Amino acid sequence: MITSREKLTSYLILGPFALVLAFPFYWMLWTSFKTELDLYDINNVPFFFGHGSPTTKNYSFLFNETEYLTWVKNTAIVGVAVVAITLVLAVPAAYALARLSGRWGQSMGVGIFLTYLVPPTLLFLPLSYVISHFPVGGHAGLQDSLWSLVLVFPSFTVPFSTWLLMGFFKTIPRELEEAARVDGASRLRTLFQIVFPISLPGILTVIIFSFSLVVNDFVYALAFITTSDSKTISTGVFTELIRGDIFFWQALMAATLLPSIPLALLYNMFLDRFIAGFTGGAFR
Amino acid sequence: MATVAASGRTRRRRRNLLESRRFLATALIAPAVLFILVLVGGPLLLAMYLSLTDAVGGTLGGEWVGFDNFLNAWRDPNFRRALRNTLLFTIVSQAIVLLCAGLIAHALTRPIRGKWLLRFLIILPWAAPVPLSTIGWLWIYDSLFSVVNWVAKQLHLVDQFNPPQWLGDPTLALGAVISVHAWRIIPFAVVIFLAGLASIPSEVEDAAKVDGAVGLKKFWYVTLPLQLPIATVALLFGIVFTATDMTVVYILTQGGPFNSTQMLTSWAFFTGIRGGSLGEGAAVSLYLLPLLVVVAVLMLRFARKVEVT
């Protein structure tokens, strides 16, 4: 049993850390409801509201007078397309690596995972060279097109997701598949009717985390896309809502907070599965 | 009649092919591997090629210049500073991360009330998109309205009329960048540590208790050695995430003031995309490759070791 002193120590460690680590988000929330007068009065206590605060006008400014909603829409389009491509490529590969191939499958899995360590830093210059030079479907190039991101993002979501899924597939008892095979089901049928339905939680986890990787990219979006109506939230908020020295701080904070909260909630819900898959790929 | 029989045969043969483990495995793996080869392997080779030419943005081709780009970059004081900063940011932030994450993860394993909320708050910096949350720090470190400075002023820790310029002073800006890097990696390390702690069998705990190992002693002789492998994984990832990240520096300081906070990644961006010198930019980013190879080798060796045990 754990003593009450141990409990107290836990709170004494976790409390301050939780406060400091979450502080920027609290501060975003607070700032996003402030009026100009309130925000830029140096004699104010910044932790209180006053001078007409709290107000929701920063949010209506964000939605009605900036291209924020366009960026959100673009992010959703890219996210959905990337997740679809990722699933089509990663799910079969991960299953085959976990189940159909022996030792070389494990080595190859680790090999695929290592490509996840090749950072965008090394790749964005050659890729931007390719994307601006090679005509695709009548266009001069994919520069400034959302499709450039759809094409490039799977280069990190596929290795990452394959690795996670390998971990999940390994946890499915072999007996289930063998029973289906004895009953005369083909390998493909076993895959579609037994393996995939059981792996649904794992696949959902991969969807969430791939989407999160997409929203976290900054380098590719910055290098490939310069027109404001093709931007995603990752670069749009920073490059468009800050104009020269003019900062729309309240709207900025609203813009950064809004996508963060739902993503963080989903992230937290699937975290335990993520841990299981992430460490299960090789370390089991 | 004959055609029906023939098509039946092909179908059977196709079916048999799909039942062959080797064929099916290859068919399922090939698309992913091809995609990765084309989109990771290809650009990596192209980066190496570009780094040996004087290619510029906007035009095709470029003359072969050998290792000139690498030598030019090396002679540039800005590059040297970027290289030094990359190492500095990575080492200092990861030291902070290991210490804090170890403490947090250990405290989080105890069954306490409100654990879900505490964990949620602690995970936030990793769960929220970095390109957005870093903008929050930009505001926290603002030159006039910094909340950090406001608190420090109330506590009389800083000059009332000339408070620290977190992003405007070259030395302080280094600290600001490090703080944000550490802030966003701590939750990731906590997550990995938790996985490691969860994998310690309860028999070990019991045995330690029987042998009278408690508190610090237990931590040092039992928990730490068992935690070490997974802590290494967290560290290796933390190194890669920090050393190759451009988002934090780009948003906080754009490498400034006076290029004092450039990292290799941001310097490659400013050289290759803003300056248009693709060849030299590629050379700058390739200086990261040795570090990544070392991490990859360690990771491989490590994965194998864990597999055996």
Side-chain angles (χ1 to χ4, degrees):
Chain A
M1 254 339 274
I2 98 165
T3 61
S4 53
R5 220 188 84 194
E6 278 180 318
K7 272 189 189 171
L8 188 68
T9 330
S10 277
Y11 283 120
L12 283 180
I13 294 171
L14 295 176
F17 270 120
L19 206 68
V20 171
L21 289 169
F23 177 77
F25 300 96
Y26 164 79
W27 202 233
M28 287 174 197
L29 183 72
W30 210 243
T31 305
S32 72
F33 287 112
K34 290 203 166 193
T35 58
E36 296 280 310
L37 266 177
D38 189 17
L39 194 66
Y40 298 126
D41 185 340
I42 218 127
N43 299 316
N44 261 353
V45 177
F47 295 98
F48 296 154
F49 281 133
H51 296 300
S53 303
T55 171
T56 54
K57 78 169 177 44
N58 302 314
Y59 285 86
S60 53
F61 171 80
L62 183 68
F63 291 144
N64 299 323
E65 278 157 66
T66 70
E67 288 184 274
Y68 186 66
L69 291 178
T70 312
W71 306 327
V72 172
K73 193 189 79 195
N74 290 342
T75 309
I77 294 173
V78 174
V80 169
V82 169
V83 165
I85 295 174
T86 305
L87 288 181
V88 168
L89 291 173
V91 172
Y95 176 75
L97 287 170
R99 273 299 151 79
L100 299 176
S101 47
R103 272 206 79 75
W104 66 269
Q106 181 66 32
S107 314
M108 198 159 183
V110 174
I112 288 180
F113 178 65
L114 284 183
T115 60
Y116 177 63
L117 293 180
V118 180
T121 315
L122 291 183
L123 306 180
F124 77 94
L125 284 171
L127 281 171
S128 82
Y129 181 82
V130 172
I131 273 170
S132 57
H133 284 308
F134 290 92
V136 181
H139 294 278
L142 283 177
Q143 183 76 31
D144 290 331
S145 157
L146 285 179
W147 297 109
S148 65
L149 301 181
V150 174
L151 180 72
V152 167
F153 285 167
S155 66
F156 53 81
T157 58
V158 169
F160 174 78
S161 306
T162 307
W163 177 259
L164 265 190
L165 285 165
M166 268 176 77
F168 293 131
F169 286 136
K170 280 185 189 165
T171 60
I172 300 174
R174 260 176 208 276
E175 293 75 28
L176 274 175
E177 288 161 75
E178 276 156 13
R181 303 258 304 139
V182 169
D183 289 347
S186 69
R187 279 190 192 275
L188 275 184
R189 200 169 150 172
T190 315
L191 200 57
F192 279 101
Q193 297 198 333
I194 310 283
V195 179
F196 289 166
I198 300 183
S199 323
L200 212 57
I203 292 173
L204 269 177
T205 313
V206 162
I207 291 175
I208 309 261
F209 283 83
S210 296
F211 190 80
S212 157
L213 284 179
V214 166
V215 188
N216 264 296
D217 166 78
F218 187 71
V219 181
Y220 287 137
L222 195 65
F224 297 168
I225 302 209
T226 49
T227 47
S228 68
D229 58 354
S230 301
K231 280 183 179 164
T232 55
I233 38 174
S234 318
T235 53
V237 174
F238 179 68
T239 56
E240 300 284 325
L241 291 184
I242 298 174
R243 301 187 187 128
D245 276 342
I246 307 163
F247 289 79
F248 300 90
W249 279 119
Q250 301 100 313
L252 263 172
M253 291 302 107
T256 55
L257 187 71
L258 284 177
S260 299
I261 294 307
L263 267 176
L265 279 171
L266 280 173
Y267 208 98
N268 222 47
M269 272 167 61
F270 286 87
L271 190 62
D272 293 322
R273 287 185 193 287
F274 168 74
I275 295 174
F278 192 75
T279 53
F283 316 121
R284 120 179 353 264
Chain B
M1 194 61 199
T3 43
V4 172
S7 83
R9 221 168 19 241
T10 2
R11 201 175 302 139
R12 208 168 311 130
R13 198 160 60 221
R14 203 174 296 150
R15 204 191 137 98
N16 284 339
L17 213 52
L18 282 176
E19 287 305 294
S20 142
R21 214 172 71 152
R22 187 172 280 268
F23 175 82
L24 191 64
T26 314
L28 294 179
I29 296 171
V33 170
L34 280 178
F35 188 89
I36 291 172
L37 279 180
V38 170
L39 270 139
V40 178
L44 193 59
L45 290 178
L46 185 58
M48 291 174 184
Y49 171 75
L50 286 175
S51 72
L52 300 171
T53 70
D54 60 0
V56 290
T59 55
L60 266 180
E63 294 289 307
W64 185 266
V65 294
F67 285 95
D68 279 8
N69 287 325
F70 289 91
L71 296 172
N72 284 341
W74 186 258
R75 283 189 213 109
D76 184 347
N78 284 323
F79 168 83
R80 297 274 189 102
R81 186 139 15 137
L83 182 64
R84 197 203 64 191
N85 283 345
T86 303
L87 296 174
L88 179 81
F89 293 166
T90 307
I91 293 167
V92 177
S93 68
Q94 290 318 297
I96 300 173
V97 165
L98 283 183
L99 187 72
C100 297
L103 275 172
I104 296 172
H106 212 235
L108 264 180
T109 51
R110 299 197 179 117
I112 51 172
R113 296 184 85 184
K115 195 164 119 177
W116 194 90
L117 180 68
L118 284 169
R119 195 182 80 164
F120 175 74
L121 293 175
I122 287 168
I123 299 297
L124 262 179
W126 179 251
V130 184
L132 298 178
S133 59
T134 309
I135 301 176
W137 281 101
L138 199 56
W139 172 230
I140 290 174
Y141 285 140
D142 186 72
S143 55
L144 276 177
F145 301 99
S146 164
V147 61
V148 178
N149 281 352
W150 188 86
V151 173
K153 274 187 207 166
Q154 300 305 308
L155 299 173
H156 296 279
L157 291 174
V158 299
D159 191 332
Q160 300 292 316
F161 301 104
N162 194 12
Q165 296 294 311
W166 293 105
L167 302 175
D169 175 273
T171 317
L172 289 178
L174 295 175
V177 171
I178 289 173
S179 70
V180 178
H181 270 305
W183 171 79
R184 80 185 181 98
I185 306 282
I186 284 173
F188 169 77
V190 168
V191 168
I192 302 290
F193 281 7
L194 281 177
L197 287 171
S199 70
I200 296 178
S202 57
E203 292 86 20
V204 175
E205 293 274 319
D206 296 340
K209 206 160 266 177
V210 170
D211 291 344
V214 283
L216 213 58
K217 214 170 177 182
K218 180 185 145 205
F219 177 77
W220 189 254
Y221 288 107
V222 182
T223 316
L224 195 66
L226 285 168
Q227 270 277 79
L228 216 53
I230 206 110
T232 320
V233 171
L235 178 66
L236 290 174
F237 271 103
I239 289 174
V240 174
F241 290 152
T242 314
T244 68
D245 173 77
M246 183 180 92
T247 317
V248 172
V249 160
Y250 191 89
I251 288 180
L252 275 187
T253 64
Q254 303 245 323
F258 319 113
N259 289 325
S260 59
T261 55
Q262 294 284 9
M263 296 176 74
L264 285 181
T265 53
S266 55
W267 190 239
F269 184 88
F270 283 109
T271 311
I273 301 280
R274 286 292 159 75
S277 313
L278 275 178
E280 201 176 325
V284 170
S285 68
L286 280 171
Y287 272 100
L288 269 173
L289 203 56
L291 173 81
L292 293 169
V293 170
V294 170
V295 170
V297 168
L298 285 175
M299 204 87 102
L300 270 183
R301 177 170 291 181
F302 183 74
R304 201 162 295 141
K305 206 161 91 190
V306 179
E307 219 177 304
V308 172
T309 50

